[in-house]
Amino acid sequence: MALLLNAVSPAVGGVLVRGEKGTAKSTAVRALAALLPEVDVVPGCRFSCDPAAPDPTCPDAPHEPGAATSRPARMVELPVGASEDRLIGALDIERALSEGVKAFEPGLLATANRGLLYVDEVNLLHDHLIDVLLDAAAMGASYVEREGVSVRHAARFLLVGTMNPEEGELRPQLLDRFGLTVEVAASREPDQRVEVVRRRLAYDDDPAAFATRWAGEEAAVRARIGAARKLLPSVRLGDGALRQIAATCAAFEVDGMRADIVMARTATALAAWAGRTDVLAEDVRQAALLALPHRRRRNPFDAPGLDEDKLDETLEESGGGDGPDTDPDGPDGGGGQPPAEGPEGPQGGGDAGAPAEAGDAGEAERSAGAGSGERSPVGAAEPFRTKVLSVPGIGEGAAGRRSRARTEHGRTTGARRPGGPLTTLHLAATVQAAAPHQRARGRSGPGLVIRRDDLRQAVREGHESNLVLFVVDASGSMAARQRMGAVKGAVVSLLLDAYQRRDKVGLVTFRGSAAEVALPPTSSVDAAAARLESLPTGGRTPLAAGLLKAHDVLRVERLRDPARRPLVVVVTDGRATGGAEPVALASRAARLFAAEGVASVVVDCESGPVRLGLAGRLAGELGGSAVTLDELRADSIAGLVRDVQGTSRRAA
């Protein structure tokens, strides 16, 4: 329904489809293209101008008056690895060098104008591409200012993104730019699953026959979309419906005014889809279920969702006399879900019913340094903004927001001869290299005579994402409830920072007699936060085992992703107990990291009036830096990053 509403009114702002793998997200989006009505275009226009109202600023203008042709609506797919030039277009290098003229080569935004632009795995797309994409979708135009080219062209398209949240989330700012969001999950009803399998097998056996079988229903949907589009300008959004929309957005404390506008457009499209010219309360309700869940998140680890009881109460108080659940044409929206199943559950409150004496028991266990009892999980303290931790030097990993790196995107810092295939031309440096040789090469026309040796690769510097591997001490020495809550709060804060900087994260914990990989490296920071929340504590402190397990994780990740540099964050009080010579073993394990130049930070969790300084000693052996929980806050220290970089450089 969200897809169809955008087909009726592209001004709704697109759809983000979130869901687990294997739920036919891509299949549904690709099928939509066949349902879109044909479009009339100016023949030969690369930007698909409407012959009834051609764009006077179109780069291909002027157009021949009255010329028109029809074609199916296009669906353009944006690959995750696309370059910015491929998306927005760029200077036509071939014509610039051979003919000496400036010519614009359109990108995917131009191709998608008046059609559908689809981004699969949109959460894995580089942030700067998402920003460009959503800006164009919001403004209906693309502006290109680069390499001497200044072009504006229309870029009105139905934007659809799909993603699996397990592979990482979108930033809240980007979530807000999608008009509607839908959560998709596979049905647990055997009859529905049987029907899915039956249809898929029928299609595989005879695709043509399968398409013929459903051609009638597809034609009916296509006709209904066309009728709704024609009716849309006649739909009246009354003051009562507008007041309901405003009251609903205010009640759910959404930021800004975009939600109100999207809800108004969605409710209007719903009325047109139902064949009505008045927006009813049921339209407002269904619009809220599609437009608000992803906009009311308060931090990245809160699941999107909407309390439907509160929604119904708000609509009733604001004057909604119509029955909110009576529209057979509206989206399901999960209306039958009981409130307990929604995502409004308590955050970080897992220890609300814990025994009061747990803290004292934990302190006793800490004093003994042994203890084998396991404590129930402790909830994390309130997260805070942390100081930026970065890896020293310049890397070449995936684009992100943490450490300096040579990237395909970013500011240009110089030029060099390409060591392999040319990927990003430095035009000025190329022309400068070729210019002195033009007379010797017999140049006679306006174009430059270019040789392979003249080409120069642009050197650009931006920021990369890193692998942030958390090594968390969950032993008895950390088991005091208040202290463990503070420790978890600090790690959650660092996870929030990793989320915002697009890092991969991993979680290694150690307690009792061994260490375990609680979460292999992943882009899903939410998963790391969930594992941390349920982390039990108690037992001895096998620090060496934790460090060796982390070392093994890094070794495997180097093989999988050699360009991504790691940052190891060890959260411990520095104690090492259990087994023979635990302190010596921990020292030898730590020196493995120092020998390989792995950037590391030790978050010192030691508390009490008497401090042994064990965490600081461990940081020295790791070749990293130690910081207390209080110093980790962004407003507490100014030199943490400098310290981390300096000690890591000395170790390297």
Side-chain angles (χ1 to χ4, degrees), residues 440-494:
R441 294 173 183 175
R443 172 185 169 184
S444 59
L448 289 174
V449 180
I450 301 293
R451 303 273 173 85
R452 172 69 186 177
D453 290 344
D454 300 328
L455 298 178
R456 295 294 183 268
Q457 174 84 26
V459 177
R460 293 178 175 175
E461 184 176 310
H463 286 84
E464 66 177 359
S465 61
N466 298 109
L467 166 61
V468 182
L469 182 61
F470 294 93
V471 185
V472 179
D473 184 349
S475 64
S477 66
M478 303 280 289
R481 298 191 72 82
Q482 183 176 1
R483 180 144 60 108
M484 197 61 202
V487 168
K488 285 188 176 183
V491 178
V492 167
S493 302
L494 289 167

Side-chain angles (χ1 to χ4, degrees), residues 368-390:
S372 58
E374 179 176 308
R375 302 296 167 196
S376 59
V378 180
E382 188 70 21
F384 52 85
R385 189 167 66 89
T386 66
K387 201 67 179 177
V388 179
L389 307 177
S390 63

Side-chain angles (χ1 to χ4, degrees), residues 2-15 32 36-37 39 73 112-117 136-140 155-160 177-180 225 228-230 232 261-262 265-266 268-269:
L3 292 171
L4 292 171
L5 292 177
N6 273 270
V8 171
S9 175
V12 166
V15 185
L32 178 66
L36 297 176
V39 294
N113 187 35
R114 304 180 66 206
L116 185 152
L117 183 62
M139 295 186 295
R156 295 181 177 86
F157 48 82
L158 195 169
L159 176 63
V160 182
R177 298 297 293 273
F178 281 95
L180 309 179
I225 291 174
R229 282 186 173 186
K230 292 179 180 178
L232 187 65
I261 296 170
V262 171
R265 290 172 173 165
T266 305
T268 303

